[in-house]
Amino acid sequence: MLIRAALRRVLRRSTRFPGIALNLGRRLTVRMDTTNRCNLRCSMCPMRLSDSDPGRVWMDMDGALFDRIAGQVFPRASSVSLSCGAEPLCNPSFPDHLRTLYRADVPCREMVTNGLLLEGDRLEAVLSHPPTSIAVSIDGSEEATHAAIRGGCDLAAVVRNLKALDAGKKSRRLMIPHVSFSTTLQRRNLHELDGIVKLAAECGAEAVNVNLLVPYRGLGMSEEALDADAPEVELAFREAGSSARGQGLILNRTGSASPGGRCRYVPSWVFIAPDGLVFPCPYWNLSDPAGDLSKQDFREVRSAPMYRALEARLASGVLEGTCASCPELAESGREEIGKV
C-alpha cells in the first residue's frame, strides 16, 4: 500500500511524465469556482447579469471550505478544474489553491482563464505548480472582434502573457501545462475561426476547442447562435481544420447537440460554487442546488434523493426542468437557458 501510494504521487505530480496516471478508483470530474468574480463581462456570459442583481454577494471561497473540499472530493477525482464560470485568477488565494491541487495526486489538473491576469505571481504559480492543462478563452483573431465578444479584453496583452508562459515552460524544461484555446463560436466570429487556429500556433498552444454558443436568458444573444449543421459552419471547420493540421494542432468540436443521447454529466461530474453549493451540470439553474458542501459531506450530497431522482429520470429518457432545455440532449437545445 505504501509503495503504491508513493508511486502514485510521483507519477501524478511529475512534470516530465504528465500523461501517466494510475486510475485507482478515481472516476469523478470536478469543475469548481473558488471565486464568483471576473475581470471581464463577455457578451454571452451570465456574469453580465450579476451587476444588476441586488442580491449578489461577491466572494472568494473560504480557505477552510477549500481545504474541506480538497480532503473529501479531490481523492475521488480523476480531473479537477479550478474554474467553471468565473475567472480563477481574480482570487488572491489562487497560488495556494493551485499548490494544494498539485499535491493532491489528481491526475488531470485544469483551469480555464481569459488570460488577461496571467502574469507576475500568478504566472509564477502556474510554472511552479503547473496544472496539466490551461484553456484560454479566445474568441477572435482580430483585436476588435475579441474585444467586442470578451467585454473589451486586450487580445495583445493576452498574447504577450501566453508567449511568456511558453517561454517559461521552455526555460524550465516543462512539458506542462498543455495550452489550448477555448472558442465560443457564433455569427460574429465564425469567419475568424481559421485565424484563431493560426494565432493558437503563434502562442504555443496545442489545440483549439470550439463550442457553439449557448444563449442564456436575459443576454439577448439568440441571434448569434449558429446552426451546427449550417453549410457556413461546416466550411469554417473545414478551413480551420486544414490550418490546424498544417500547424500540428488539434481542432476539437465539442458540446454538439445529440438529442436523445445520454447525459455525460450527472453520473460522474460535479460542479461546485465558491460558497460550496453543488450542481449536477454546467447548465443547471443556480437557484436549485443539489447540496451544500459547507454544511454537508460530499458523500451525503451525492446520495441525496434529488440526485437519485435525477439519475432515474435520465435513465428513463425523461427530460424535465433544466434538462428539457439542455443544449446537448434536448430537441429544443438552441433555446435560451435560464441560468440564474
Side-chain angles (χ1 to χ4, degrees):
M1 181 66 71
L2 291 177
I3 294 176
R4 185 177 68 174
L7 180 61
R8 184 176 60 189
R9 290 191 182 95
V10 170
L11 293 179
R12 284 178 173 161
R13 293 185 195 175
S14 173
T15 59
R16 295 184 179 275
F17 303 99
I20 299 177
L22 303 178
N23 184 12
L24 303 177
R26 291 174 174 267
R27 299 182 177 87
L28 191 66
T29 297
V30 179
R31 298 291 179 263
M32 61 185 293
D33 277 323
T34 65
T35 182
N36 65 354
R37 295 182 287 127
C38 186
N39 54 324
L40 299 177
R41 293 295 182 269
C42 302
S43 61
M44 65 290 189
C45 180
M47 184 70 73
R48 272 178 52 203
L49 303 174
S50 60
D51 295 326
S52 58
D53 180 3
R56 180 76 168 189
V57 177
W58 299 101
M59 70 176 70
D60 298 321
M61 182 175 283
D62 177 77
L65 176 58
F66 182 87
D67 291 342
R68 176 183 171 90
I69 293 171
Q72 293 186 10
V73 181
F74 288 6
R76 300 166 176 257
S78 62
S79 173
V80 172
S81 177
L82 293 181
S83 44
C84 183
E87 172 52 56
L89 299 180
C90 281
N91 189 333
S93 297
F94 169 79
D96 296 330
H97 296 161
L98 195 59
R99 181 172 60 251
T100 298
L101 178 59
Y102 184 80
R103 295 174 175 174
D105 290 347
V106 178
C108 296
R109 307 175 302 277
E110 305 174 343
M111 61 177 286
V112 181
T113 176
N114 57 51
L116 200 56
L117 302 177
L118 188 60
E119 56 183 354
D121 292 343
R122 300 176 182 92
L123 176 58
E124 177 59 30
V126 167
L127 292 171
S128 297
H129 299 97
T132 54
S133 66
I134 294 179
V136 185
S137 300
I138 300 292
D139 287 322
S141 59
E142 300 294 331
E143 289 273 2
T145 305
H146 186 71
I149 295 175
R150 288 277 157 190
C153 182
D154 185 347
L155 180 60
V158 176
V159 169
R160 285 196 302 271
N161 291 345
L162 292 178
K163 289 183 177 180
L165 171 60
D166 189 48
K169 286 173 56 181
K170 290 176 179 176
S171 68
R172 303 187 190 203
R173 298 182 180 180
L174 299 178
M175 293 179 64
I176 57 174
H178 299 295
V179 177
S180 65
F181 278 13
S182 178
T183 298
T184 302
L185 200 63
Q186 50 200 280
R187 296 191 185 280
R188 184 180 287 175
N189 65 0
L190 180 62
H191 65 288
E192 293 185 23
L193 181 57
D194 187 58
I196 290 172
V197 168
K198 293 173 181 175
L199 181 61
E202 293 177 18
C203 294
E206 301 174 32
V208 175
N209 301 315
V210 183
N211 291 279
L212 297 185
L213 180 143
V214 174
Y216 288 100
R217 194 172 303 138
L219 298 178
M221 293 295 293
S222 293
E223 294 302 316
E224 282 291 320
L226 295 163
D227 183 344
D229 299 319
E232 60 269 26
V233 173
E234 295 299 327
L235 176 60
F237 272 101
R238 282 199 300 272
E239 293 177 346
S242 177
S243 291
R245 288 189 294 274
Q247 300 282 354
L249 270 69
I250 298 171
L251 178 65
N252 291 315
R253 183 174 180 173
T254 61
S256 298
S258 54
R262 296 175 60 87
C263 174
R264 64 189 176 113
Y265 297 111
V266 171
S268 58
W269 290 56
V270 64
F271 295 78
I272 306 173
D275 54 1
L277 295 182
V278 177
F279 302 92
C281 84
Y283 309 112
W284 203 260
N285 193 309
L286 301 183
S287 64
D288 186 25
D292 185 349
L293 293 178
S294 70
K295 302 174 182 177
Q296 300 171 279
D297 289 339
F298 181 68
R299 188 185 301 273
E300 179 184 355
V301 172
R302 290 288 289 184
S303 61
M306 180 270 190
Y307 253 112
R308 300 287 79 80
L310 177 59
E311 290 173 346
R313 290 199 304 272
L314 289 171
S316 62
V318 176
L319 302 181
E320 296 179 352
T322 299
C323 301
S325 59
C326 175
E328 298 188 32
L329 297 180
E331 294 285 354
S332 58
R334 292 183 71 246
E335 295 182 0
E336 290 184 334
I337 295 177
K339 180 75 169 182
V340 292

